[in-house]
Amino acid sequence: MSAARKHTALPKAQILIEALPWLTRHNGKIVVIKFGGNAMIDEDLKAAFAQDVVFLRQAGLKPVVVHGGGPQIKAQLAKEGLVSEFKAGLRVTTPEAMDIVRMVLAGQVQRELVGLLNQHGPLAVGMTGEDAHTITATQHKPEIEGELVDIGRVGEITSIDTGAIEALLADGRIPVISSIARSADDGHVYNVNADTAAAALAAALGAETLMVLTDVEGLYADWPNSDEVISRLTVSELEKLLPELSSGMVPKMEGCLHAVRGGVPTARVLDGRVQHSILLEIFTDQGIGTMVLPDPVPGTPRGGAQ
Ligand SMILES: Nc1ncnc2c1ncn2[C@@H]1O[C@H](COP(=O)(O)OP(=O)(O)O)[C@@H](O)[C@H]1O
Ligand SMILES: CC(=O)N[C@@H](CCC(=O)OP(=O)(O)O)C(=O)O
């Protein structure tokens, strides 16, 4: 062995050492990961996602997965001859469509993710927001052009009970949650946007971070004209930007805002198309995507969190 080889750390060892301060910092902390339907584009990505989540669990963190499934719902509605329509960024959900939303999210997408995670051991347990009153909602009527519009069985979260999730975490499990809620008023089940559900759960659980995996690199400053990603912004900066945002980014960035305002130290939007983006973000110095931070406290240096 040459002298140089003997005294230089191997690249793989350097990567592990770089992870050390992050492992220490995140040990025992809850991390809520939202896996968007658009990020579940191929089998390799889904398998890599499952590896990352199990890695976090084995490294001493407490991951909680909230999944979406917009494209999968759209495909099933089309098969049944039903139209997909969005208003104010939310799916118009008739009672008939609600049955399909519930079947696709809880019966297909969630089952697949639980299966992939459990290839690594008896870790994942699937549930919906209906279970143990985890997410309670009321009918959401968005305001469009000054009027409240009825978009059917779309839920607005009224309360979160974290008991069942905390019991699973204490038992070493990985909760995998579908964004469906029950109403205490009328007993109906409601379709909740998965970004919104993930953000509300992150705040209620006192998570260390919220990670939203999607099919873009992060929040683009001037979408769709440019692909320049905003790497960091404070909640006040985000609040000013919100009225300019469109489509899928609206619930995502509103969710990040809600989570950070609710006490979650950071919320991030990451490119779910990049394999192992979760590990890169949590365990390396190389921040990717967009990070939302609290406003700096006057007199302290700006945003040092990762
Ligand atoms: N400013 C923006 N930056 C990035 N993406 C944006 C922006 N505005 C709108 N989008 C759109 O939001 C989409 C992501 O939201 P969505 O389709 O709901 O994904 P998911 O299924 O992951 O929740 C992107 O693919 C992009 O088309
Ligand atoms: C009310 C509402 O719009 N609910 C969403 C729930 C699924 C979701 O949010 O999936 P993504 O994260 O993949 O977009 C829907 O029906 O598509």
Side-chain angles (χ1 to χ4, degrees), residues 86-92 140 142-144 151 247 250-251 254:
F86 278 78
K87 285 189 180 165
L90 300 164
R91 185 186 306 281
V92 177
H140 175 61
E143 195 180 317
I144 303 173
I151 54 170
S247 65
V250 176
E254 277 178 354

Side-chain angles (χ1 to χ4, degrees), residues 114-241:
V114 167
L116 287 168
L117 288 161
N118 284 341
Q119 284 181 10
H120 302 272
L123 297 169
V125 177
M127 56 187 279
T128 84
E130 297 161 79
D131 295 310
H133 293 187
T134 297
I135 308 177
T136 301
T138 188
Q139 189 186 7
H140 175 61
K141 289 189 181 168
E143 195 180 317
I144 303 173
E145 291 167 7
E147 286 198 16
L148 294 183
V149 179
D150 187 339
I151 54 170
R153 298 273 165 88
V154 172
E156 179 173 321
I157 298 175
T158 51
S159 65
I160 301 266
D161 182 334
T162 56
I165 300 175
E166 276 163 4
L168 288 172
L169 292 175
D171 197 29
R173 311 289 174 185
I174 303 172
V176 180
I177 304 164
S178 311
S179 58
I180 299 164
R182 181 183 161 276
S183 159
D185 315 324
D186 57 19
H188 291 317
V189 286
Y190 281 96
N191 179 10
V192 178
N193 175 276
D195 297 313
T196 312
L201 286 166
L205 286 162
E208 169 80 352
T209 192
L210 165 69
M211 303 181 115
V212 181
L213 268 68
T214 185
D215 65 344
V216 280
E217 291 158 274
L219 177 64
Y220 295 132
D222 183 22
W223 187 83
N225 306 315
S226 123
D227 60 1
E228 186 203 329
V229 175
I230 302 175
S231 59
R232 282 172 169 238
L233 77 173
T234 68
V235 281
S236 295
E237 288 164 349
L238 174 56
E239 210 156 33
K240 283 191 207 121
L241 210 65

